[in-house]
Amino acid sequence: MDNPLTLLTLMWRAHKPSHTIDMKALRNTFWLRKGYAALTFFGTIVTATDEEAQELNGQLTSLKNHEMIHLKQAQSCGDSWVRFYLLYIYYWLRALPQNRYHRHAAYWLNPFELEAYQHMNDLHYLEKCTNGATEWRKYARMKPAERRRRFLSSQSSH
């Protein structure tokens, strides 16, 4: 499933986030950059290998929980994948200048990623998010430099 057109088909046929209960995992190395284990693409989890996809389809792991948090975040963005991705890109671009201080800071400081990483090991977090995951909004109100300080302090405590 390494054809980029297959991913466009997934995007075209995507259901609203609120109509997605569980996300299926598929292998596609075209969209997955080196160093990343998975990504959420319009209600589908994209992984680098068939083995990872099978594992994510079979059980709730920390990684799947992380990606499912993105599903709940999309629900909190007006129940729209498009709005979720537009906001994701906006916050990524706003944090881009922080890359001079920390490698991949635009990714790590994205409010959506901060919430997902904060709660990925809490396999019951999704049960608490009845109206979507909204903690990202708290991080979005912070300036990128403040998010960087919080991120670095959380990294030093682990």
Side-chain angles (χ1 to χ4, degrees):
M1 174 131 152
D2 287 328
N3 183 345
L5 293 177
T6 305
L7 289 176
L8 292 175
T9 302
L10 288 174
M11 183 176 77
W12 182 258
R13 292 183 177 172
H15 297 286
K16 283 185 166 191
S18 63
H19 295 157
T20 305
I21 297 168
D22 189 20
M23 292 194 294
K24 183 179 178 184
L26 302 170
R27 176 188 57 87
N28 189 301
T29 57
F30 179 81
W31 284 85
L32 210 56
R33 292 182 52 198
K34 185 177 180 182
Y36 293 94
L39 64 86
T40 298
F41 189 79
F42 287 87
T44 301
I45 301 172
V46 178
T47 66
T49 68
D50 286 325
E51 293 77 22
E52 289 171 328
Q54 286 176 350
E55 181 180 345
L56 294 178
N57 285 327
Q59 61 186 339
L60 181 62
T61 63
S62 309
L63 179 59
K64 183 167 185 176
N65 196 45
H66 175 101
E67 300 305 328
M68 292 294 291
I69 290 170
H70 290 318
L71 169 67
K72 289 291 191 173
Q73 291 167 335
Q75 290 174 6
S76 74
C77 292
D79 200 21
S80 168
W81 285 113
V82 173
R83 185 158 189 250
F84 170 76
Y85 289 120
L86 288 174
L87 284 169
Y88 191 102
I89 291 167
Y90 168 76
Y91 292 122
W92 184 85
L93 289 171
R94 261 191 85 201
L96 202 54
Q98 298 296 316
N99 277 2
R100 66 180 161 206
Y101 303 112
H102 192 272
R103 188 172 182 210
H104 303 299
Y107 169 78
W108 289 107
L109 302 181
N110 190 304
F112 295 112
E113 295 300 339
L114 287 169
E115 179 180 17
Y117 278 106
Q118 178 77 28
H119 299 288
M120 69 187 282
N121 294 317
D122 178 1
L123 300 183
H124 300 287
Y125 182 68
L126 295 171
E127 297 165 12
K128 302 170 198 167
C129 301
T130 55
N131 295 320
T134 58
E135 191 174 298
W136 65 270
R137 293 177 178 160
K138 173 182 77 172
Y139 297 115
R141 288 189 292 272
M142 298 176 189
K143 293 186 182 306
E146 184 181 350
R147 290 197 300 255
R148 182 172 58 87
R149 283 190 295 277
R150 281 183 167 237
F151 170 74
L152 291 173
S153 69
S154 74
Q155 294 299 299
S156 63
S157 66
H158 288 106

